[in-house]
Amino acid sequence: MMLLPVVLFTDWLVLLLVVVIALTVWYVRRKEHLRTPWRRVAHSKSGMVGLTVLLVFVVIGLLDSLHFRPQLPNPDPNAKAAYAVEVLSVLDVALDTLRARREKTYSAPLATHLYAKETIELGDGRQAREYPRLKHGGSHLADPEQDFTPDVIQRVLWGAAAGTLAWAVLTALLCALLARRRGADIDTAWSAIWRGETEVPWNAILVTAGVLLVGTAVIVSLGAGYFVFGTDKVGQDVLYQALKSIRTALVIGTLTTLVMLPFAIGFGIMAGYFGGWIDDAIQYVYTTLNSIPGVLLIAAMVLLVQLYIDTHPESYPTSMQRADLRLLFLCFILGVTTWTGLCRLLRGETLKLKELEYIQAALAFGVSHARIIMRHILPNVMHIVLISVVMEFSALVLAEAVLSYVGVGVDPSMNSFGTMINNARLEMAREPMVWWSLAAAFVFMFVLVLAANLFADAVRDAFDPRIRSRALTLERLRQLAAAAGSGRSAERAA
């Protein structure tokens, strides 16, 4: 079957972001002064645990960014190829079982029957109100009441065994690699990893990877026969919706940063370095932006974008392309409205840096302003930029959920955590209450934001000079206290 590649606007930006990150890693590896703080990040247990979880989310998001339109079946081999209107991704192919299975309406997690009673006809012709059997969830069970518990236990054990086996293989490969680098045997490498004697906390990384592998294997094993997180109003798998929402959260958190950084860095450094009327003008701009309620500004811009899409339907033939354009403009709007905080920080840091002796000496020797900014100011404020960007990611993920909840976020047809929460708002008022859509969105978003915050804390501790100097001072005090204690012990012994 032939495929027609489809590259959305956000796909191009995601590809650009991947290239930028790859070039940054290549550049950092060549500079010792840049590698040093990243080594401190790599030595942090919490930071590496957060990074391990983030990489899993990133892989899912990248798989969901490779889009295509499948070819429609045609009995005439000489006819021109026709392609489906629906745009799919590589993740959709991997989750084809979850995507294709549909029930009639709500069903609870791991349920074998629908969540609401329906009038069904019995074998003797009478009608009764019963919970109908699901078409897919637990359909392999002959007697759900007797076979359900043993079947679930068996699937959990099989999944745990498969995840443990995968973790053992991963651990063996890591031990072999470290043993080869150190010139030691595998047992010595395993002992060093388990005792935490390696520079990189591989023990914490392996424990995290083990939890992820076992959990994923158990979910896959259960998902083959049941709906792990239940189904929504139209009978779609909630687990599938949650996995598809990861790309939207990552796009909001990363692409918004690409929009925010040029405004924040450019205006912040210009205001602090040049001062005068330039500083007054920039302060006026971001003070005015802060005085406008962000939700109102975002709502107005989203409505304008929606009006443009409705008046130019020929430019966006598929619903995916229309939803993607709205997502792109939402990233742009969030970037325009969130650069002011970082701009303030960079302005204050630049005001301090421009009074230092080496910058005053460069001005005295006639060095141009552009060269001073690029060679002296910008490198010395990059730690603030990096810390702010990493910590802003979590706030942007939560902002998308809030905006979609109030109806001014992503397109309703696009999967996102905010859309899931907004739909669950009405489901929570049902009797009996439908709680699993909200729970699934909360669990995935909580894990993503927690992992991002753990990694952000490690980056802040490694790059913030104030924290580093405080840590060095405490370390020197500990050394002095230890030396004084050993000296008093020696005097007593004498």
Side-chain angles (χ1 to χ4, degrees), residues 176-259:
L177 179 61
L178 292 181
R180 183 177 178 182
R181 286 186 176 181
R182 295 186 171 193
D185 56 8
I186 295 181
D187 292 338
T188 304
W190 165 248
S191 177
I193 291 174
W194 187 249
R195 294 176 181 176
E197 298 173 355
T198 56
E199 292 185 359
V200 178
W202 290 112
N203 52 357
I205 295 175
L206 285 176
V207 170
T208 306
V211 173
L212 292 174
L213 288 172
V214 172
T216 302
V218 169
I219 290 176
V220 170
S221 179
L222 289 173
Y226 303 93
F227 294 100
V228 180
F229 284 99
T231 57
D232 62 358
K233 185 176 182 179
V234 297
Q236 190 176 37
D237 196 333
V238 174
L239 175 60
Y240 172 76
Q241 295 179 11
L243 292 173
K244 290 286 290 182
S245 300
I246 291 175
R247 178 184 182 270
T248 305
L250 293 177
V251 167
I252 291 286
T254 54
L255 296 189
T256 303
T257 303
L258 294 179
V259 179

Side-chain angles (χ1 to χ4, degrees), residues 230-457:
T231 57
D232 62 358
K233 185 176 182 179
V234 297
Q236 190 176 37
D237 196 333
V238 174
L239 175 60
Y240 172 76
Q241 295 179 11
L243 292 173
K244 290 286 290 182
S245 300
I246 291 175
R247 178 184 182 270
T248 305
L250 293 177
V251 167
I252 291 286
T254 54
L255 296 189
T256 303
T257 303
L258 294 179
V259 179
M260 175 187 69
L261 284 182
F263 293 100
I265 295 176
F267 289 152
I269 292 179
M270 287 173 59
Y273 182 78
F274 292 106
W277 68 269
I278 296 179
D279 186 18
D280 295 338
I282 293 174
Q283 286 192 73
Y284 177 79
V285 170
Y286 67 61
T287 303
T288 304
L289 273 177
N290 284 336
S291 65
I292 303 174
V295 175
L296 295 180
L297 184 60
I298 292 171
M301 294 298 294
V302 167
L303 291 175
L304 290 176
V305 172
Q306 191 63 44
L307 178 63
Y308 174 80
I309 295 174
D310 293 339
T311 54
H312 298 81
E314 68 281 354
S315 301
Y316 312 99
T318 64
S319 60
M320 175 67 78
Q321 290 174 312
R322 293 190 290 271
D324 183 74
L325 180 65
R326 179 166 171 171
L327 174 63
L328 177 64
F329 272 89
L330 180 61
C331 294
F332 178 78
I333 298 164
L334 285 174
V336 170
T337 56
T338 56
W339 60 269
T340 56
L342 179 58
C343 179
R344 278 200 187 99
L345 293 176
L346 295 180
R347 174 183 173 273
E349 188 70 12
T350 305
L351 284 172
K352 181 181 70 174
L353 289 174
K354 76 173 186 178
E355 301 298 332
L356 297 180
E357 290 82 357
Y358 66 93
I359 292 182
Q360 294 296 323
L363 286 172
F365 280 107
V367 180
S368 65
H369 296 306
R371 188 171 180 83
I372 291 175
I373 290 175
M374 296 302 297
R375 293 296 299 272
H376 300 301
I377 301 293
L378 184 59
N380 284 288
V381 299
M382 284 308 295
H383 69 281
I384 297 178
V385 174
L386 186 59
I387 293 169
S388 299
V389 165
V390 177
M391 299 190 71
E392 190 71 18
F393 175 85
S394 303
L396 291 171
V397 172
L398 296 176
E400 182 276 324
V402 173
L403 292 174
S404 297
Y405 176 77
V406 299
V408 295
V410 300
D411 192 87
S413 63
M414 175 172 284
N415 290 298
S416 73
F417 296 127
T419 304
M420 293 179 65
I421 294 173
N422 187 34
N423 294 334
R425 175 174 57 90
L426 301 177
E427 298 168 355
M428 295 289 287
R430 283 176 50 92
E431 182 60 40
M433 184 175 61
V434 178
W435 52 268
W436 45 86
S437 293
L438 179 63
F442 172 78
V443 168
F444 276 81
M445 192 163 58
F446 173 78
V447 174
L448 176 60
V449 172
L450 178 62
N453 285 339
L454 289 176
F455 183 66
D457 289 342

Side-chain angles (χ1 to χ4, degrees), residues 463-479:
F463 281 85
D464 195 335
R466 291 172 297 179
I467 295 179
R468 291 208 310 270
S469 62
R470 192 181 305 125
L472 292 174
T473 303
L474 291 175
E475 184 64 26
R476 292 193 187 98
L477 290 175
R478 291 193 193 98
Q479 293 175 357

Side-chain angles (χ1 to χ4, degrees), residues 90-102:
V90 176
L91 184 65
D92 290 322
V93 176
L95 303 177
D96 186 64
T97 303
L98 301 180
R99 184 176 65 89
R101 294 187 307 177
R102 292 268 184 153

